[in-house]
Structure formats: C-alpha cells, structure tokens
C-alpha cells in the first residue's frame, strides 16, 4: 500500500494519469447523460450530425497549442518522468515521419511526447509541428474526439498522413509503427518489435518526400506487467483472433493502483527516455528509380538505424534489460 504521507505534488501527478485513463469513458458517459434530458436533445442531435460530417481527423486535425500546454501535462509527464534525447537537430523546412517504438500496452510515451509540450518537443525541435496519429475509432467518441483533436492528433489513415505532410514545411506525423499487434509483446525488460512487414510508412515518406526519424522509447514496455501469452498458448491464439476480427487486441495486463503499488490499471512510475535518431531522407529525384526497390532499401536502413540507436543507448537507459531488441514479425 502507498504510505499516507506522500508529497502533494505526487498526488497531483497520480491524479493526472488517472484522469488520462478515465477521460474517454467520462466523455462518453457525459454525452449519454445529456441525451437523457429532453431539453438537450436538439443540441445532442446537432452535435452528432456535425461529428459525422466533420473531416478534421482526416485533414490535419484541429490543433490548439494552449491545450497542449496546460499545466496538467506537466504533472502527467513528471509522474514517470518522460524525457527527450535527440541525436541531431531537424531542418524545419522539411517534413518528417516519426516512427515510434515500441507500442507498449497503450503507447503512453507517444502521447506524452507528441500530444503535449510538457517534454519540451517544440524547444528541442523548433519549427517542427507533429501530429500523433491514432485509430479512427477514437474520433467516434463524443467530446473525447474534440479533446484529442485539440492536442493535434489525427486519423492514421493514408489520406490523413498525406494531408498533414503536404500542409506545409515542418508539418510532421508520429506513427506507432508496431500498432496493436505489438502490444501483445510488451513486457518489462524487453523490446520485441513488429516491423519486418510494416512498409506503409516508408511508402508515404517516398510519395511525399518526407524524411523518416526512428524514435525509440526506453521504458515504454516497463510500465505494465502482462499475463504470459507466449506463442502457441490458447491466450495468444484468442488475442490474435480478436485482432483479426475487430482490428484491435486485448492484452491482459496490470500496473499499479491509486493507493497501492502492485495491482491496478495505472502505469507504474518508471522513467521513459524517448531517443530520436537521425533522419533518413528519401531520394530527391525518383526519375528512373524503381519505387518498390527504394522503399525496401529505406526500410532496411530504417531497421538498421533503429538497431544502432538501441545499441548506442541500451547500457545507459536499459541496464536491467532481460534480452536485446528483436524484430519478431
């Protein structure tokens, strides 16, 4: 159990992470409650129609910088804490695709890094405006959708990626490449990545002339414990079936609670170091080049750079690792 005498600042940090976890459910419940009051029915109907017609998630989002800078995010980031480590400055006249790894259970580090300014992203990379991409289903939750749009988040569809990258210099996207499949591999002390067949982000980079930046979070997989679901187990089989049918996975995991340190749905207080590697530029002129060959070469180089990034920083940020980084799929 957590001791009674905890500094108030730590209480605020825990409350901020708790709010982050329950906010989507509260947003949905609030909308349902509004719908039970006849006086609000015209407003609820108008909102639903507008929500269905709004194409902002596919057209670059509806970003409000002040929402990304509210003090709440400082407590959220300090809870772990999360810090940025960069290998090289980025040219603000170019566009970038940030490939984030690993997914972890919920990609908490990606939210802290790309959906807020509490880690100092804009100070580290002036002139670069990132949009964290997520599943389109997240934009179907009333009120919650408006919140994440204000944070600069967008749909992860192909059209959305291109819309952001073509909207001006410095406009960039962050994609959690491993996606839902990778969450099944999230365990403390390991970084097992789903990347071998993930070529879509490289194709978009070639088509839009954007550079790809590998981003590796040392600590994302340490936030939660996961029930054993090794290959061949009935649990893994069931999770893969759900993923195939529904498009998302259901990892069985636990972290800590509000008043205890060993059981609950809050992530553990464990540091995350988000390391940004050097950008990989696509050919400036594709004349006479085979697109598929260019994509393959860039993808191979990306995997190689990601491995190099890991080897360079593993002893500093992952001294207690159980195994080395591995590309499992």
């Amino acid at each position: 159990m957590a001791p009674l005498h905890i500094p108030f600042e730590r209480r605020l940090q825990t409350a901020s992470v708790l709010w982050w976890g329950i906010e989507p459910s509260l947003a949905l419940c609030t909308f349902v409650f509004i719908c039970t009051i006849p006086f609000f029915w015209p407003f609820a109907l108008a909102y639903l129609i507008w929500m269905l017609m709004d194409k902002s998630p596919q057209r670059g989002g509806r970003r409000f910088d002040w929402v990304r800078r509210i003090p709440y995010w400082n407590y959220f980031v300090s809870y772990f804490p999360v810090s940025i480590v960069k290998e090289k400055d980025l040219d603000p006249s170019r566009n970038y695709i940030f490939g984030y790894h690993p997914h972890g259970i919920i990609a908490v580090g990606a939210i802290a890094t790309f959906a807020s300014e509490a880690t100092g992203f804009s100070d580290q990379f002036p002139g670069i405006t990132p949009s964290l991409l997520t599943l389109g289903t997240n934009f179907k939750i009333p009120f919650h959708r408006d919140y994440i749009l204000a944070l600069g988040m967008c749909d992860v569809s192909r059209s959305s990626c291109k819309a952001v990258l073509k909207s001006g210099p410095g406009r960039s996207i962050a994609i959690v490449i491993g996606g839902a499949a990778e969450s099944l591999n999230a365990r403390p002390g390991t970084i097992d990545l789903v990347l071998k067949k993930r070529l879509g982000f490289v194709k978009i980079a070639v088509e839009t002339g954007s550079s790809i930046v590998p981003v590796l979070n040392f600590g994302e997989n340490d936030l939660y414990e996961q029930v054993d679901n090794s290959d061949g187990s009935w649990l893994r089989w069931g999770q893969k079936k759900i993923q195939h049918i529904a498009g998302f996975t259901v990892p069985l995991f636990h972290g800590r609670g509000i008043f205890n340190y060993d059981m609950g749905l809050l992530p553990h207080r464990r540091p995350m170091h988000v390391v940004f590697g050097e950008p990989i530029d696509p050919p400036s002129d594709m004349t006479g080049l085979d697109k598929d060959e260019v994509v393959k070469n860039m993808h191979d180089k990306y995997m190689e750079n990601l491995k190099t990034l890991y080897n360079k920083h593993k002893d500093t940020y992952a001294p207690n690792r159980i195994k080395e980084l591995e590309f499992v799929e």
Side-chain angles (χ1 to χ4, degrees), residues 26-57:
L26 287 178
L28 180 59
C29 289
T30 300
F31 182 77
V32 172
F33 175 73
I34 289 174
C35 290
T36 64
I37 304 174
F39 175 79
F40 290 113
W41 286 354
F43 302 99
L45 180 60
Y47 177 83
L48 282 176
I49 294 174
W50 174 76
M51 187 178 80
L52 293 173
M53 297 178 63
D54 183 27
K55 301 301 181 183
S56 294

Side-chain angles (χ1 to χ4, degrees), residues 1 14 17 20 79-80 105-106 108 186-188 219-227 251-270:
M1 299 298 295
T14 302
V17 176
W20 163 76
Y79 172 89
F80 301 98
I105 296 295
I106 317 178
V108 182
R187 285 185 180 74
E220 180 74 64
N221 280 351
D222 298 333
L223 302 184
Y224 291 98
E225 313 287 339
Q226 185 168 184
V227 174
L252 299 182
F253 65 92
H254 72 85
R256 55 159 288 183
I258 303 173
F259 303 110
N260 73 84
Y261 292 143
D262 54 9
M263 186 59 66
L265 296 181
L266 291 182
H268 290 294
R269 280 182 180 267
R270 293 170 183 167

Side-chain angles (χ1 to χ4, degrees), residues 154-201:
C154 299
D155 189 351
V156 75
S157 66
R158 187 181 186 85
S159 61
S160 174
C161 293
K162 289 188 173 183
V164 174
L165 293 170
K166 292 181 178 180
S167 62
R171 285 294 279 124
S172 304
I173 58 176
I175 307 177
V176 186
I177 305 296
E182 201 170 84
S183 65
L184 301 180
N185 303 322
R187 285 185 180 74
T190 69
I191 301 181
D192 291 341
L193 302 183
V194 176
L195 182 59
K196 292 179 180 179
K197 298 179 182 180
R198 301 289 170 114
L199 300 174
F201 72 104

Side-chain angles (χ1 to χ4, degrees), residues 3-17:
L4 294 177
H5 301 291
I6 293 282
F8 185 61
E9 176 125 350
R10 288 175 69 87
R11 298 287 191 193
L12 291 176
Q13 292 169 359
T14 302
S16 69
V17 176

Side-chain angles (χ1 to χ4, degrees), residues 41-92:
W41 286 354
F43 302 99
L45 180 60
Y47 177 83
L48 282 176
I49 294 174
W50 174 76
M51 187 178 80
L52 293 173
M53 297 178 63
D54 183 27
K55 301 301 181 183
S56 294
Q58 296 82 34
R59 296 178 180 173
R62 192 163 50 244
R63 180 193 189 95
F64 292 100
D65 198 57
W66 67 268
V67 180
R68 295 167 54 90
R69 295 180 182 274
I70 56 178
Y72 157 81
W73 286 111
N74 295 328
Y75 292 110
F76 181 89
V77 166
S78 298
Y79 172 89
F80 301 98
V82 188
S83 61
I84 286 178
V85 181
K86 69 175 182 179
E87 295 273 291
K88 188 176 182 180
D89 292 332
L90 299 181
D91 181 359

Side-chain angles (χ1 to χ4, degrees), residues 132-144:
L132 177 62
L133 305 187
T134 185
L135 293 175
T137 52
N138 288 313
F139 298 98
K140 300 184 185 300
I141 304 175
F143 299 154
H144 172 67

